[in-house]
């Protein structure tokens, strides 16, 4: 089975490029905000599961 060709960022339409850049800015903001949080004592470790305003663990998101 052939793999789909990998598209470069420059080959994407301008709207897609803009959306990816905006998403990257949001991730940087969220990551910076996470670094400012106090460290949890005896916590589960890893990233804050609510950093994207939904509960996320191992890539699975639950919005409850």
């Amino acid at each position: 089975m052939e793999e789909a060709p990998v598209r470069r960022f420059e080959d994407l339409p301008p709207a897609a490029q803009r959306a990816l850049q905006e998403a990257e800015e949001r991730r940087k903001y969220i990551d910076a905000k996470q670094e400012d949080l106090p460290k949890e004592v005896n916590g589960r470790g890893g990233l804050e599961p609510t950093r994207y305003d939904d509960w996320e663990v191992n890539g699975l998101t639950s919005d409850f």
Side-chain angles (χ1 to χ4, degrees):
M1 182 173 233
E2 271 187 56
E3 291 185 30
V6 177
R7 295 180 71 179
R8 298 178 321 160
F9 180 79
E10 297 81 21
D11 296 336
L12 296 173
Q17 291 179 10
R18 190 172 49 254
L20 288 171
Q21 289 171 339
E22 291 171 1
E24 181 62 28
E25 290 173 16
R26 282 192 304 273
R27 277 191 296 274
K28 286 180 183 178
Y29 172 76
I30 289 170
D31 290 343
K33 191 170 73 172
Q34 164 133 2
E35 291 175 7
D36 293 339
L37 292 175
K39 299 297 177 200
E40 189 174 6
V41 177
N42 295 325
R44 66 174 201 58
L47 299 172
E48 171 63 34
T50 59
R51 68 190 175 280
Y52 296 118
D53 298 327
D54 290 329
W55 187 267
E56 181 269 332
V57 177
N58 295 330
L60 300 174
T61 303
S62 172
D63 185 10
F64 53 91

